[in-house]
């Protein structure tokens, strides 16, 4: 039975998004397990795992190195309504820069601080500006788009430089500022000539004003795509006496050459053709950026220049220097670098090459190695052999513990050898656990579990939980403990009064899939339990009572635990079982309690079976998710403690069709409903049986011939 109204309850489903490096949070659902070597952006863990999105593993490593402050409590996005706790977490929950948010109308109407700054700066020059005078084009993200720098920040630098140049007459500064403001709205190859908005020669008499005018003509040429003219203008200014012009021109010479290099390298759909890169221009760009950073290591554009250097290396296919550039940027730390953007750039451009031999930095190499440790698929050798991994040891000279962990991870994920995993791991420390130490101890616990040493693993998880103060680590350890208790057949320990397992989705998932009737009754009546947990326990108990034909138990449980609806409504609403009955399609049914009473007296009572079928059908409970346990290895995948077969509407109808004591009316309705199991798709929506079309035709003909006078024969026009 599938309660279709409750499909958003992904915490109780086994569905998860297709593996991908990129985030797929819109379709994410948690997969509650600790061992994974297949990537999913939806199911990341707090330790270095091949199954993590590579961006998560990198953030864990950068956090250890002090280059990044990792989010210790992932954002409460909409995904939490779909059963997420802190761990596992989707990629979008980890970083505020990836949070999906909608700007409020007030935010949209608020004044841009750059606009406010420029308005005041221009007023000091004697120019009045309305906010809408600063209209700019919006361009796609990516440092390769030259137009993105034709923005308000760039204009601020220009206006500030004007204000700091005493040699400019007021009229000259005004003419130059107005022209720069007008250039904001122009940035397209083929834009009309802008002579009418650039200052005229008669307006610029002083050498300083003429130099600024020359810059504007170079900028105009650059943004229109006339790179040769732009290069000539900026080359003239590279030795300017005006400091801002000199620095800006040197920087822009690198950008001009870079744009010339990639001019034909991307087709109209954005696909990259390395063979179309202009190597001569690329070399010129390399030299220009190196010269700029030599002259201005902490300059106005040093961050941009370093980012564009990475693009140069990428265009050149120089993976080694590309990786080295990332490593240098990461070392600068979150205060100096836009870390989320840098991580996204690496994920999009460095990882596709997957060239471990070209990577010297141990953190980046570890991230790539973890990718290589993923499941290679059927009949394929591991992407990374043990010998290749061991040969990397010199590159991990500064991180020997990280290399030891990767070797142990190889034995666990690719070698399938839990004992070798334990042997390869260094001895456990006793201090605070960073990501590497926690990863080592997590792998140790997983290896103990794999060896079947459940008691030792349990003690290990409990010790780690007592040591850790980190919310992410604690949440993962709760999952480890829950998995251990479930596999040991000690589910009651999860719900003991002193249980450290407090994560609601873990507890609710175990109640829904693994709990037996006594534990469900215990939690349904536990006044100290959260309302959602009690509702889950009672809903599951009542559903399974009906589904497994425990009708006497249903009546007792329904009477013992009267459910009071709460506000807001719980995700699982036991009030469903207070169904008062109905007469859908003309067949009258009493309340669900009365139906259960009939079936408790006689499990093959015709009206009871037909009306239980109607209850299931009306509420969309066919093929219920409670009857589809999670995949092996996931929390809730242990065998059900309820024995027997689930109730099937179609099987009930078939039984009634051959029953000697079944009334003519009940048989007619059973035929009508059996035929409609295939409506309107032609697929069985009642259970998993494959009933041939000939059989369904026979049912239809029998209904039309033998029960022609019934309303159901008259209503049914065809079969499917």
């Amino acid at each position: 039975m599938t309660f279709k109204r409750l499909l958003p309850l992904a915490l109780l489903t086994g569905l998860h998004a297709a593996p991908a490096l990129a985030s797929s949070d819109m379709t994410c659902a948690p997969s509650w397990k600790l061992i994974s070597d297949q990537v999913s952006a939806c199911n990341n863990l707090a330790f270095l795992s091949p199954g993590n999105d590579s961006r998560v593993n990198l953030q864990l490593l950068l956090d250890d190195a002090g280059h990044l402050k990792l989010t210790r409590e992932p954002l409460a996005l909409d995904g939490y309504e779909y059963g997420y706790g802190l761990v596992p977490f989707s990629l979008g929950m980890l970083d505020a820069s990836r949070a999906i948010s909608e700007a409020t109308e007030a935010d949209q109407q608020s004044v841009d601080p750059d606009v406010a700054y420029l308005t005041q700066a221009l007023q000091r020059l004697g120019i009045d500006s309305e906010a809408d005078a600063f209209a700019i084009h919006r361009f796609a993200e990516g440092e390769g788009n030259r137009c993105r720098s034709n923005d308000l920040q760039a204009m601020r630098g220009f206006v500030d430089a004007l204000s700091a140049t005493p040699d400019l007459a007021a009229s000259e500064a005004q003419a130059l500022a107005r022209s720069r403001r007008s250039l904001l709205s122009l940035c397209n190859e083929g834009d009309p000539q802008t002579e009418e908005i650039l200052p005229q020669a008669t307006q610029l008499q002083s050498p300083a004003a003429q130099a600024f005018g020359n810059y504007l003509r170079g900028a105009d040429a650059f943004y229109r795509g006339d790179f040769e003219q732009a290069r000539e203008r900026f080359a003239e200014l590279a030795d300017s006496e005006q400091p801002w012009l000199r620095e800006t021109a040197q920087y822009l010479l690198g950008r001009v050459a870079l744009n010339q290099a990639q001019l034909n390298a991307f087709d109209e759909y954005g696909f990259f053709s390395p063979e179309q890169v202009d190597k001569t221009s690329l070399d010129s760009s390399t030299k220009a950026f190196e010269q700029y950073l030599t002259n201005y290591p902490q300059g106005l554009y040093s961050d941009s220049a370093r980012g564009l250097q990475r693009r140069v290396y990428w265009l050149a296919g120089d993976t080694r220097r590309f990786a080295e550039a990332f490593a240098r940027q990461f070392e600068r730390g979150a205060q100096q670098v836009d870390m989320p953007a840098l991580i996204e750039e690496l994920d999009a451009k460095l990882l596709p090459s997957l060239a471990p031999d070209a990577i010297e930095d141990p953190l980046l190499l570890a991230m790539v190695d973890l990718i290589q440790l993923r499941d290679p698929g059927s009949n394929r050798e591991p992407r990374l052999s043990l010998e290749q991994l061991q040969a990397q040891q010199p590159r991990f000279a500064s991180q020997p513990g990280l290399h030891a962990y990767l070797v142990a991870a190889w034995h666990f994920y690719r070698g399938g050898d839990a004992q070798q995993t334990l042997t390869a791991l260094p001895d456990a420390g006793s201090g605070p656990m960073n990501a590497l130490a926690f990863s080592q101890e997590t792998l140790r616990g997983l290896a103990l579990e794999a060896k079947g040493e459940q008691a030792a693993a349990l003690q290990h998880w409990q010790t780690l939980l007592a040591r850790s103060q980190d919310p992410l680590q604690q949440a993962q350890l709760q999952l480890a403990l829950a998995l251990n208790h479930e596999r040991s057949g000690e589910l009651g320990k999860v719900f003991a009064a002193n249980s450290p397992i407090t994560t609601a989705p873990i507890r609710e998932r175990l109640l829904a899939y693994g709990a037996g009737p006594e534990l469900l009754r215990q939690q349904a009546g536990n006044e100290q339990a959260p309302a959602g947990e009690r509702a889950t326990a009672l809903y599951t108990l009542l559903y399974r009572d009906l589904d497994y034909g425990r009708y006497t138990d249903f009546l007792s449980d329904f009477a013992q635990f009267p459910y009071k609806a709460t506000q807001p409504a719980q995700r699982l609403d036991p009030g469903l079982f207070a169904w008062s009955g109905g007469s859908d399609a003309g067949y009258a049914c009493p309340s669900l309690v009365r139906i259960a009473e009939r079936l408790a007296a006689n499990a093959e009572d015709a009206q009871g079976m037909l009306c239980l079928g109607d209850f299931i059908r009306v509420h969309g409970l066919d093929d219920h998710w409670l009857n589809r346990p999670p995949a092996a290895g996931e929390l809730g995948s242990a065998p059900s403690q309820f024995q027997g077969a689930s109730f099937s509407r179609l099987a009930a109808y078939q039984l009634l069709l051959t029953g000697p004591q079944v009334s003519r009316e009940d048989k007619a309705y059973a035929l009508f409903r059996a035929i409609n199991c295939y409506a309107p798709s032609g697929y069985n929506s009642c259970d998993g049986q494959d009933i041939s079309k000939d059989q369904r035709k026979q049912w239809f003909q029998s209904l039309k011939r033998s029960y022609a006078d019934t309303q159901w024969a008259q209503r049914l026009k065809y079969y499917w």
Side-chain angles (χ1 to χ4, degrees), residues 37 55 58 91 94 126 141 224 296 349 360 377 382 393 446 449 477 567 690 719:
D37 60 0
R55 288 162 284 189
L58 180 57
L91 182 67
L94 187 62
E141 293 295 320
R224 283 190 293 105
Y296 303 97
K349 293 180 180 175
E360 295 293 332
Q393 188 171 10
L446 295 178
E449 300 266 16
L477 289 168
Q567 295 295 331
D690 183 15
Y719 64 93

Side-chain angles (χ1 to χ4, degrees), residues 447-469:
L448 290 172
E449 300 266 16
K451 288 185 66 181
E453 299 180 16
Q454 299 293 333
L458 176 61
Q459 184 176 2
H460 180 72
W461 299 133
Q462 291 171 332
T463 301
L464 292 181
L465 189 60
R467 282 180 58 191
S468 176
Q469 301 298 315

Side-chain angles (χ1 to χ4, degrees), residues 401-402 404-405 425-427 435-445:
L402 182 55
Y405 172 74
L425 285 169
D427 293 337
L436 176 57
F438 183 66
S439 298
Q440 291 170 339
E441 296 314 305
T442 296
L443 195 59
R444 196 186 312 277

Side-chain angles (χ1 to χ4, degrees), residues 250 253-254 257 280-295 309 312-313 321:
Q250 289 183 27
L253 282 172
T280 301
S281 296
L282 198 62
D283 289 343
S284 297
S285 180
T286 300
K287 294 174 182 176
F289 286 129
E290 288 175 350
Q291 185 63 53
Y292 171 79
L293 289 170
T294 298
N295 295 341
Q309 275 188 319
V312 168
Y313 303 147
R321 295 182 72 185

Side-chain angles (χ1 to χ4, degrees), residues 79-111:
Y80 279 79
E81 298 177 5
Y82 293 79
Y84 276 102
L86 289 185
V87 175
F89 51 87
S90 71
L91 182 67
M93 293 177 182
L94 187 62
D95 197 313
S97 69
R98 298 191 186 98
I100 301 171
S101 61
E102 295 182 2
T104 64
E105 187 145 342
D107 290 335
Q108 294 171 342
Q109 294 177 352
S110 62
V111 176

Side-chain angles (χ1 to χ4, degrees), residues 507-524:
R507 294 168 67 94
E508 293 176 17
R509 186 181 183 90
L510 287 174
L511 288 173
Y513 285 122
E518 292 310 314
L519 181 56
L520 291 172
R521 291 188 184 105
Q522 170 190 304
Q523 293 310 107

